[in-house]
Structures are given as C-alpha cells and as structure tokens.
Amino acid sequence: MAPVRDSFSHALALLLASFAAVLLLSPSVRAGINRDTIIDSSQLTVLRALSKEWRGFNYSRAWSSKEAPKRCMAYPGIICNDKGIIVGLNVSNTNINGTIKGISALTALALLDMSSNPIKDVTPLAPLTKLVYLNLQALDIEKAPDSLGNLGLLKHLNLNQNYLSTPVPQFVTGLTALTHLDLGFNDFSGSLPPRFGNLKNLKKLVLSHGGDALGGKLPPSFSALTNLRDLYMNDNAFGGSIPAYIGSFISLSYLRLSNNMFSGNIPKELGQLKNLQFLGLRYNSLSGSIPSALALLSKLTYLSLNYNKLSGSIPKQLTLLANLQSINFESNYLSGTLPSIDRLKLLTDVNVRSNYLSGTIPPRYLALPYHSLASNFFVGEISYKAKNGSAICQSESDVDNNCLRLKRWDKKACGKRPPQRSADMCWTFCRAASRLGTCGRRGACVPASLRKNDSAVAYAACKCQKGAAVTADNQYCVKVTKVLVRKPCPANPKCPSSSTCEPNFLSPLGYRCACQKGYRPVAENYWTVTKCVLIQV
C-alpha cells in the first residue's frame, strides 16, 4: 500500500476529532510535535517489526520500506516529536491481526488509537506508562487486564463496544487522572465499584448499554463526581431512587438515565443543574408529580419522561423554558389540561400520548411539526387549516382516541384526506348511535368525555329537545311525563375480570362493561372495555 499523502496531517486530524486528543498532551510535549522531523532509526525498526507482526495491516507497505528514514509525515498514522520519537499512533480500522507485543517498544507513546480492529489481548499495552489517550473501542476484548491500572497518566480511556462480561474492573478506580471514561456497549454485571468516586476529575462518563446485569444502587462515593458534564447511564439495570446529590453536579449538560429501574420521585434538586440541556428519564418506574423545579433549567432543550408512573398535572412553569425543543411525557398517569406553549418558540415536537389529560387542545399544539396527543380525554373541535403559508396538516399529527371533531380542513393545502381517520372518535360513536336510532326522536347524540369513578369513559351522550328529558343513564330522551324502565344486564354478560356490567342503550348488546373502581381500561372497542388493569400510583 502506498504511503498516505501527508499522513501526519491525516493522523493528527483523526486524533483531533477523537475528543481533542492532542490537547490532552502536556504543553511541552505538544509544543515539540514536528511533522518535518526525520524519524529516529530505532523507531523505524519498531514500525517494520510491527508491520510483520500485524498480518494484513493496511500500512504494512509504507512501514516496512527498507529505504533510509524519512520525515515522519511519510509514515501513515504516526506523530513524532522534534527528536523523531513516536508520541502518537493512530491505527484505527487498519485490519490488525495477530498479537500486539511489539508495540510495547514505543515507550514514548502518549496517544494511541487502536479502535475497530480484531484485537483480543491488550496486555502488551501495560508498559506504555506515558499514555494519556487510549482508544480501544470495538475490539474483541473479553477481559480488561488489571495491568492497565499501571497507566496512571491516562486522561481518556475508551473500552466501548467490546465483550467485557466481568464486573466493572476495579483498576479503573485507580486511574484518578481520567477525564473521559467510556465503558458502554459491553456485557458487564454486578454493581459499580465502591471506590468509583475516586475519579473526581471525570467530565464524561459513558455506561450506556453497559450490560443487562449491570445495576444496583449507585455507590455513595458517586456523589464525588461533581465535575461531570456528560453522564450516560441509560439501558442498564440501575435501581433505587435517583440520588438527590446529582443536583450538585452543576456542570452537567447531558443526563441520560433512561431504560433503568429507578423508582420514587424525580428529585427537585435536579432544578439546580443550570447548564443541563438534555434530561432523559424515560422507561423507569418513577412516580409522583413532575417537579416544578425543572422550570429552573433555563438551557434545557430535550425533556423525556415517558413510560413512567408519573401523576398529577403538567406544571405550567415548564412553559417558561424558552429553549425547549422536544417534550415527551407518553404513557404516564398525568391528568388535568394542557398548558399553553405559546412562549416556546423553539418547540418542534410534543408527545403526551396515553395519559389522562382532558379539556381542549390549544391550537399551538396542532401547529407543531410533530404532536402526539392520542389516547387521552381531550374534547372539542380541532382545525387543520393552512396558516401563514404553512399547512398545519403537513405536520405529523396523532390525535386518535380522543373526543374530538374535525372542524376545518384546508383541501387546497392538505389534500382530500384528514391526517387521522379516527380522530373524532366520540363523533364516531354518535354516528353509529344515530343509525341505531339511539337517543330517540326527541334527542341527538353529542360527544362527551366523562370519567366515571376513574375507571370508565362515556364517549357519547344524549342532548334532548325541549319538552324531553334524558334518562338516568344519560342514554335516551323521553317526554317528561314518560317513565323509562331500564333494561337490566343479562345474567352472564361477556365482561372481562375486574369489571361490572352497566345497562347501555347505545350499545348493540344493550349493556357495556366498565372497569371497577381502582382499575383502568387498557383495551376497548366502541361500546365496551375488553380489559382492565389495576391503577398503580
């Protein structure tokens, strides 16, 4: 393979892209980097040996040349100091096969990137005690040797995307100079080492997808990591309450604790994270209300609390977060009405699907590029009309399973078909009721969204003409002088467990099933619920 043109610049650019690796060097070493230096003959001997040791290595031809030593820039993947000694090596994705024993001869190495190669044993790296940057991402390592604990100057260690299946190695807690530690996408088990708090200089910690068996409560020493800026712990099995001391990590910009087993309330102390831009807590078992203290996160752009057990209303204070771009509260137990979002000019998507929200939908929600408001108890009429040259209908809209009616549709801008065929679910009930003659000649069916004992919903009701009154079950209009005898439920109604039978003139069956108190419906058709589950608060 021919030498890469200006290989020094190529290697330097790659390393700069990898978390500004060169900037991790001491000022004296960084100042000594020289692209035009002639490589030291002893260093060239090591390169030639490595090119033979690494079968199929992409740089073999350039490194194994028998010509006299050239300028360092002629050898791809290396960085030299002003004495021709190799201080940086970037052999990422270069098809290294075989052992890497020979690399230990490069004792001056400070930067080493060996990522994306089929390397299984990294024990030979232990003598390289001057390393400050080590990237071992996407290798075939099954066990990180304890001898890596000798690399006391390390500031950046990346072991992402390997096959590490042991508990998180204890030697990591001894690398106290670390500012960046990435252990994500492995198969770790057990809990974090008790002395994890020794890593007080950490600015970025990545444990995402560390392993399905990596979990337990965070060790008390974790509270010492107050310099963290990015904390990624999503997709593991961490549990217990979210520690309130995370509120003292005032430099945090990104906090991802999603897809874990955290429970209890969201600590109000998170409102102290003035620099937080991303908060991801989805897919946990968090309960209680959404703390209004989150409104203090003035830089927040992304808020994800979906798939938890949160209850109460959406705090109106959240509408003061002028930088918010995305909100996701899907699948909780939130109730009350939607707050106005007119102040949130940067907001592009809102997802509050599958909650217990009610009332009307403020127009601004329907104008967002993406909004999912389905499976709630919203009522009223909605309008999809082009405004200021931008058709609302062009947004990705989801308003199914509410009590809504489509009032206005801009055919010219939006075409003939509405975005959702079942958006006006309550009106669908009424159309079916009208065909059956329900409500009688003296009344008309109108939509309604009435929660009954927190267990059942009536999607339609009768509005009676003058001189007529609705029956006690609100399902038939009769003259005020006429007494309507309610038809009782059959002896063996086809109702699911945890539900009761109620007479219902709208139903073709003459009755409907309603969940018992303390249960909520999770499956239903137009006339009756088909499955009830216990409400967990």
Side-chain angles (χ1 to χ4, degrees), residues 283-462:
Y283 286 100
N284 280 287
S285 296
L286 299 171
S287 57
S289 59
I290 299 174
S292 58
L294 296 185
L296 300 175
L297 306 177
S298 58
K299 296 184 179 180
L300 196 66
T301 61
Y302 183 94
L303 178 58
S304 175
L305 305 177
N306 48 312
Y307 290 95
N308 278 286
K309 300 177 181 179
L310 300 171
S311 57
S313 59
I314 299 174
K316 294 182 179 180
Q317 294 90 330
L318 295 182
T319 61
L320 301 176
L321 297 175
N323 291 305
L324 262 185
Q325 299 177 22
S326 176
I327 298 174
N328 195 333
F329 296 156
E330 180 182 356
S331 294
N332 279 285
Y333 302 118
L334 299 175
S335 58
T337 58
L338 287 175
S340 172
I341 55 173
D342 291 341
R343 296 183 181 181
L344 304 182
K345 304 301 182 183
L346 300 179
L347 193 64
T348 58
D349 64 90
V350 168
N351 186 349
V352 294
R353 183 186 181 96
S354 299
N355 279 282
Y356 292 90
L357 298 167
S358 57
T360 58
I361 299 175
R364 171 86 167 100
Y365 284 86
L366 300 176
L368 294 174
Y370 172 81
H371 52 271
S372 181
L373 313 174
S375 300
N376 281 283
F377 303 119
F378 295 122
V379 297
E381 297 177 320
I382 57 175
S383 175
Y384 284 83
K385 183 183 179 183
K387 184 178 181 181
N388 298 329
S390 176
I392 295 175
C393 60
Q394 294 172 358
S395 64
E396 189 173 345
S397 174
D398 182 9
V399 292
D400 275 4
N401 297 336
N402 282 291
C403 203
L404 302 170
R405 184 182 187 187
L406 188 60
K407 179 181 178 182
R408 184 176 297 175
W409 179 255
D410 193 321
K411 293 183 179 180
K412 182 177 180 181
C414 304
K416 296 181 179 180
R417 297 179 62 182
Q420 299 288 340
R421 285 172 290 180
S422 57
D424 52 345
M425 184 175 181
C426 290
W427 293 92
T428 303
F429 278 94
C430 285
R431 286 197 294 271
S434 297
R435 288 197 299 269
L436 297 173
T438 315
C439 293
R441 293 182 294 105
R442 295 177 175 82
C445 183
V446 294
S449 183
L450 307 173
R451 297 186 63 186
K452 184 177 181 181
N453 296 328
D454 291 330
S455 62
V457 181
Y459 286 107
C462 293

Side-chain angles (χ1 to χ4, degrees), residues 29 81 143 159 357 404 412 446 514 533:
V29 175
N81 61 17
K143 186 179 186 302
L159 289 168
L357 298 167
L404 302 170
K412 182 177 180 181
V446 294
V533 297

